[in-house]
Amino acid sequence: MPSHVFAQYWLTREDTYFFVSSGLDIRNATFGGTVNPAAYDGTWTAGYRNENFSILAYYETFSAIKYESMGVNPGYVFRPGKMLIPVVDLSLSFIRRPFKTYPSLALNSRMEFHFSRFFIYLRGESRWRTDYDFFQVSVYGGISYKFGFPK
């Protein structure tokens, strides 16, 4: 089968799409964290879904504590094409602090509520903070816009 026909088939499925997202750490924004008062800790994400497979690249910035994180998250999508979709993924990432960069690993679970062209999400993250050498649990919320599938 020619590759353009194959690509056209997959990009016409409702459960296959690209997405961009913006979110924030809810606890840090409202109450503060373990080492900071309440402050903006935001994320930017670009991703791709194909039925049960998900992959995304993200960037997180938290200037109040001079923290940045970036990585790639391969994941599994439960119930693709439904309105309420659970997703789990593994974050293969780096933490960047002033003068040093650390490898990092996190396990994420996400609950998404889908509309036609966008979805909102709540994501729990358990991250090995190699810059401080401990596990940290965070909760993020955000909104995503879907594109690359028929209307």
Side-chain angles (χ1 to χ4, degrees):
M1 178 180 289
S3 61
H4 70 281
V5 172
F6 183 75
Q8 185 176 6
Y9 166 75
W10 285 108
L11 289 176
T12 58
R13 297 180 51 90
E14 186 174 313
D15 53 3
T16 300
Y17 51 87
F18 294 94
F19 62 94
V20 291
S21 305
S22 180
L24 59 88
D25 184 319
I26 297 169
R27 182 190 60 166
N28 274 324
T30 55
F31 305 111
T34 54
V35 296
N36 62 279
Y40 173 77
D41 175 7
T43 62
W44 299 95
T45 305
Y48 172 73
R49 293 271 174 83
N50 185 344
E51 295 184 13
N52 296 104
F53 174 74
S54 175
I55 189 140
L56 60 87
Y58 79 93
Y59 172 74
E60 177 180 5
T61 180
F62 192 4
S63 60
I65 62 168
K66 296 179 175 57
Y67 173 95
E68 292 177 299
S69 178
M70 62 216 68
V72 175
N73 299 15
Y76 185 80
V77 179
F78 297 89
R79 300 171 26 99
K82 303 293 185 195
M83 210 169 181
L84 189 61
I85 300 176
V87 180
V88 295
D89 64 41
L90 182 65
S91 178
L92 310 168
S93 55
F94 291 97
I95 294 172
R96 189 164 68 183
R97 301 300 296 248
F99 310 111
K100 191 158 183 185
T101 300
Y102 305 84
S104 185
L105 192 62
L107 181 61
N108 295 294
S109 58
R110 177 186 331 257
M111 187 60 69
E112 302 172 348
F113 192 78
H114 285 250
F115 301 92
S116 63
R117 298 298 270 170
F118 70 96
F119 59 92
I120 55 175
Y121 68 87
L122 193 61
R123 173 174 62 94
E125 174 185 83
S126 181
R127 175 172 298 281
W128 179 248
R129 288 288 304 270
T130 51
D131 56 333
Y132 287 134
D133 200 27
F134 66 84
F135 272 98
Q136 182 172 3
V137 176
S138 299
V139 178
Y140 296 82
I143 187 165
S144 301
Y145 177 75
K146 302 187 279 189
F147 58 95
F149 71 95
K151 295 176 181 145

